[in-house]
Amino acid sequence: MNKKLNLLQVYRGLAAVLVVLTHGNLILSREMHQGDLLQIFHFGWIGVDFFFVLSGFIIFYIHQSDIGKPNKLKSFIFKRFIRVYPLYWSILSIKILVSLFNTNKDSIYQRSPDEIIKAILLLPQDHSILESNFIGVSWTLSYEVFFYCIFALLILKNTKISQSIIVAWIIGIILNLLNLLPIGESFLLGFIFNERNLEFVLGCLAAYTISKYQFKFATSLIYASIFLLVISVINTRYKEFDVSGIPSLVAYGIPFTLLIIGSVYLELSKTVNIPQILIYIGNASYSIYLTHGFFLSNIVKIFTKLTDKLNIYLIPNANIYYNISAFIIVILAVIMGCVIHSYLEKPLITHLRKKVFTQIS
């Protein structure tokens, strides 16, 4: 269980790129009214589901030996804090500084102190507020931080008490999923008992399964998960199967869980050669995820001005230009995210780890 799992890093990169593609499609449709080719990645939002399952797996995989050991809590909190907040605050600060000079309706001046504090601390709040003034994808980080708090319970308190609390929470999520939990219009309760939280649980179950059981058919499990994912994607796009209302938890959370289990079993049993560029993109996935919206929006504006200046829309088969431009814009956004990783995220985390863990020890 101490082996570094490079396949999971590749999956992190894939999840981030999927989100970039789907947001690229939305932004291009809004700004350029073109870029049909990106529409095939309409399902890219499932990258968020992938992130949640991966996160649950990684946290349990790394910290399962810390469960029931309160002396490990401080180290866990510092590790999670350093991984999430420093880069997020850096990007958020830039976004807020830009907003201070923005006098339109989406200016930061329109937001209340309560909303700003929630955005800074990654406390749950309405998606539309985050998209207009802060970092749109940060709503997913609120779920991430909440999951860390739940896992911290396992580390801090008596295992049986913590397990009882978590089992009650999971039952509450299932009841809410079945519309049997009377939470009304409460945003906070809706967040706590949201079905997305079960994707973290599925990731934990995957890590637990690998730590306790042997499985010889890893490749078959990978193929089965891919088959299920393809069916879900087809249904999402064309509604070919009568599974209307099926939640992401079933359509994507379970197949991703199977994919992770199969991939980890495969990598633990044999050496899997993976191109370093894919591992690097996985390492840079958090930077790509946080910054892609900013880079997409601004690169698209540059392309739009260039298009208008050159009157490209008058050229026959101009749609080919738009489709090529769409992929160039996405690639540039990913590259810029990698630059942020190499020159901001990585040095920042390295420095903080040395400083913080020196104090802890």
Side-chain angles (χ1 to χ4, degrees):
M1 292 295 287
N2 293 323
K3 183 177 180 180
K4 186 174 182 180
L5 303 174
N6 288 325
L7 271 176
L8 295 195
Q9 281 301 92
V10 173
Y11 292 160
R12 284 166 59 90
L14 174 63
V17 171
L18 281 173
V19 174
V20 176
L21 285 167
T22 195
H23 286 164
N25 176 46
L26 293 173
I27 293 172
L28 283 162
S29 298
R30 183 184 69 213
E31 301 291 339
M32 299 177 70
H33 308 291
Q34 295 289 342
D36 299 337
L37 198 56
L38 278 188
Q39 291 181 9
I40 64 176
F41 299 103
H42 65 281
F43 61 90
W45 52 267
I46 70 175
V48 172
D49 297 279
F50 207 173
F51 270 130
F52 286 176
V53 180
L54 277 168
S55 182
F57 178 91
I58 291 169
I59 293 300
F60 194 94
Y61 183 84
I62 295 174
H63 296 285
Q64 61 177 311
S65 61
D66 298 338
I67 293 175
K69 300 177 181 177
N71 61 310
K72 298 288 186 179
L73 181 63
K74 190 174 182 180
S75 174
F76 173 79
I77 291 174
F78 275 120
K79 285 179 180 178
R80 295 303 99 207
F81 176 86
I82 289 172
R83 189 67 186 88
V84 173
Y85 280 99
L87 179 64
Y88 170 71
W89 282 342
S90 300
I91 304 303
L92 180 63
S93 298
I94 296 171
K95 182 71 183 287
I96 291 177
L97 284 174
V98 172
S99 298
L100 290 175
F101 299 97
N102 188 356
T103 57
N104 64 24
K105 63 180 181 179
D106 291 331
S107 171
I108 193 68
Y109 296 113
Q110 304 298 320
R111 303 272 67 96
S112 68
D114 175 65
E115 291 168 339
I116 295 173
I117 291 172
K118 285 181 178 179
I120 292 172
L121 297 180
L122 289 174
L123 299 177
Q125 65 176 315
D126 189 80
H127 297 186
S128 61
I129 296 173
L130 298 173
E131 290 172 358
S132 61
N133 293 107
F134 303 105
I135 299 176
V137 296
S138 62
W139 67 269
T140 63
L141 300 183
S142 298
Y143 284 98
E144 190 86 18
V145 171
F146 178 64
F147 167 64
Y148 295 159
C149 294
I150 292 293
F151 196 87
L153 277 177
L154 290 175
I155 298 175
L156 177 63
K157 294 185 178 295
N158 177 278
T159 304
K160 291 184 178 179
I161 296 175
S162 299
Q163 288 176 346
S164 299
I165 294 172
I166 292 172
V167 168
W169 170 61
I170 292 173
I171 291 173
I173 296 174
I174 295 172
L175 290 175
N176 187 42
L177 186 61
L178 299 173
N179 295 317
L180 298 175
L181 192 68
I183 61 175
E185 299 297 322
S186 173
F187 180 84
L188 182 58
L189 290 177
F191 173 87
I192 293 172
F193 296 106
N194 191 286
E195 69 182 56
R196 292 186 179 96
N197 290 308
L198 283 183
E199 293 178 330
F200 294 105
V201 176
L202 286 176
C204 291
L205 289 175
Y208 178 81
T209 299
I210 288 169
S211 69
K212 295 295 183 181
Y213 305 102
Q214 296 294 324
F215 188 78
K216 296 181 180 180
F217 305 102
T219 305
S220 299
L221 199 57
I222 292 172
Y223 288 149
S225 64
I226 293 174
F227 174 74
L228 292 174
L229 285 169
V230 170
I231 289 178
S232 294
V233 168
I234 292 173
N235 180 67
T236 299
R237 180 67 178 88
Y238 299 106
K239 305 296 182 185
E240 292 289 341
F241 304 96
D242 186 19
V243 288
S244 56
I246 187 170
S248 294
L249 174 69
V250 175
Y252 297 106
I254 292 176
F256 282 139
T257 302
L258 298 177
L259 177 61
I260 290 170
I261 293 174
S263 299
V264 173
Y265 273 129
L266 179 66
E267 196 162 9
L268 290 176
S269 63
K270 59 189 293 188
T271 299
V272 181
N273 294 318
I274 303 171
Q276 285 299 313
I277 182 64
L278 297 181
I279 297 175
Y280 174 78
I281 292 174
N283 294 336
S285 59
Y286 187 44
S287 291
I288 295 170
Y289 188 67
L290 282 182
T291 63
H292 74 273
F294 172 81
F295 288 123
L296 282 173
S297 297
N298 287 280
I299 295 171
V300 165
K301 290 177 182 178
I302 295 172
F303 269 74
T304 301
K305 290 181 180 179
L306 181 64
T307 300
D308 292 340
K309 187 174 182 179
L310 299 177
N311 293 323
I312 290 178
Y313 53 85
L314 298 177
I315 300 175
N317 297 320
N319 197 45
I320 296 176
Y321 162 81
Y322 286 114
N323 286 321
I324 294 174
S325 298
F327 275 102
I328 292 175
I329 290 167
V330 166
I331 291 170
L332 288 175
V334 171
I335 290 173
M336 293 307 298
C338 290
V339 170
I340 295 297
H341 166 70
S342 293
Y343 295 99
L344 177 59
E345 180 188 11
K346 195 173 178 179
L348 184 62
I349 290 178
T350 300
H351 171 74
L352 288 173
R353 278 178 178 168
K354 288 180 180 179
K355 189 173 182 179
V356 169
F357 287 110
T358 298
Q359 293 177 354
I360 291 177
S361 59

